Amino acid sequence: SARVTPALLETDPENRLLARGPRGRLPAEMIRDTALAASGLLNDRIGGPSVSPYQPAGLWEEMAFGDGFSGQKYEQSHGPDLYRRGMYTLWKRTVPPASLATFDAPNREKCTARRALTNTPLQALALMNDPAYVEAARALAQRALTKGGADVDRRLAYAFRLAASRSPEGREIKVLRALLERRRAAYAADRAAALKLLAVGESHRDPALDPIELAAWTTVTSVILNLDEVVSK
């Protein structure tokens, strides 16, 4: 824990006994892993060839050098390979994976002893708009609706605990419940927007769930996955 008590400071002022650890954002590769794990989508297979997760179209083509070179066109993976850990992502040094670069992964052009950690609006935009995170939010919403219990508060607590590893406080439940009610009303008035949101990603949504309800919950779980606490160790 990063929490320090007076007793710990007196007993171990220099942290030689490792009584505490620094709080910091997760490494780039692990942020997506965390979202996939909470959602139930993570493919935890160990080893094997590299995979190519979602990436903005045209990035590799911007740096292409012609037909005489390999790796000039990005071939996205499909099926279970889309949900493998970030450490297995295919890497092209001239065009590092956009999602990893956004969260300060080094470009691998030289040895890096310590990664820089930044906090930028682009990172929040990625967590809320990258197909991998939108899809993970939908899958987490489905878990909450099917396994979280019969009432709203229990479902919210279930989703929050999966992502943040703790139960939410009463005031947090209140905020999330209010957001859920607003999004229900919005999607009820715009069913096309709900279906568009649920179509993101290659995994299939649960057809037994009402799309309006699932879309509203997807927005709520997206907010949960965007919390600083979820992307921090």
Side-chain angles (χ1 to χ4, degrees), residues 101-156:
T102 298
F103 290 99
D104 306 316
N107 60 18
R108 300 191 181 184
E109 292 182 357
K110 55 184 178 296
C111 178
T112 302
R114 177 181 294 177
R115 294 188 183 189
L117 287 180
T118 64
N119 189 0
T120 69
L122 184 59
Q123 293 164 357
L125 288 170
L127 288 174
M128 300 192 80
N129 295 284
D130 186 300
Y133 296 103
V134 175
E135 184 179 24
R138 171 169 53 79
L140 178 56
Q142 290 181 178
R143 288 187 77 179
L145 288 170
T146 57
K147 300 179 181 179
D151 62 82
V152 169
D153 286 2
R154 288 178 64 185
R155 289 172 174 176
L156 288 171

Side-chain angles (χ1 to χ4, degrees), residues 3-205:
R3 188 171 294 125
V4 181
T5 65
L8 279 179
L9 281 177
E10 182 177 358
T11 304
D12 189 17
E14 297 182 7
N15 201 32
R16 293 172 65 90
L17 303 178
L18 304 181
R20 55 193 177 274
R23 175 189 173 101
R25 201 194 61 227
L26 292 167
E29 294 84 351
M30 295 184 184
I31 293 177
R32 176 173 156 275
D33 293 359
T34 297
L36 291 176
S39 71
L41 290 173
L42 183 68
N43 175 1
D44 59 2
R45 175 190 171 200
I46 302 296
S50 297
V51 294
S52 303
Y54 303 118
Q55 178 170 285
L59 289 186
W60 279 28
E61 286 74 10
E62 286 289 329
M63 296 294 290
F65 294 101
D67 296 335
F69 298 87
S70 62
Q72 300 302 291
K73 184 177 181 182
Y74 190 77
E75 301 287 348
Q76 181 188 298
S77 296
H78 302 284
D81 282 349
L82 269 177
Y83 313 110
R84 300 205 65 199
R85 290 186 174 92
M87 67 180 292
Y88 295 112
T89 298
L90 181 67
W91 197 286
K92 181 176 180 178
R93 278 195 303 173
T94 53
V95 191
S99 180
L100 298 183
T102 298
F103 290 99
D104 306 316
N107 60 18
R108 300 191 181 184
E109 292 182 357
K110 55 184 178 296
C111 178
T112 302
R114 177 181 294 177
R115 294 188 183 189
L117 287 180
T118 64
N119 189 0
T120 69
L122 184 59
Q123 293 164 357
L125 288 170
L127 288 174
M128 300 192 80
N129 295 284
D130 186 300
Y133 296 103
V134 175
E135 184 179 24
R138 171 169 53 79
L140 178 56
Q142 290 181 178
R143 288 187 77 179
L145 288 170
T146 57
K147 300 179 181 179
D151 62 82
V152 169
D153 286 2
R154 288 178 64 185
R155 289 172 174 176
L156 288 171
Y158 179 79
F160 195 98
R161 190 170 64 251
L162 282 174
S165 299
R166 70 169 175 85
S167 296
E169 299 176 3
R171 59 189 178 87
E172 293 168 327
I173 287 286
K174 184 178 179 180
V175 170
L176 293 172
R177 193 190 312 120
L179 172 62
L180 176 63
E181 292 170 356
R182 292 197 303 270
R183 298 317 300 166
R184 274 179 180 155
Y187 286 125
D190 190 354
R191 184 181 178 87
L195 294 174
K196 183 178 180 180
L197 174 66
L198 299 180
V200 175
E202 291 195 2
S203 65
H204 299 293
R205 67 179 175 90

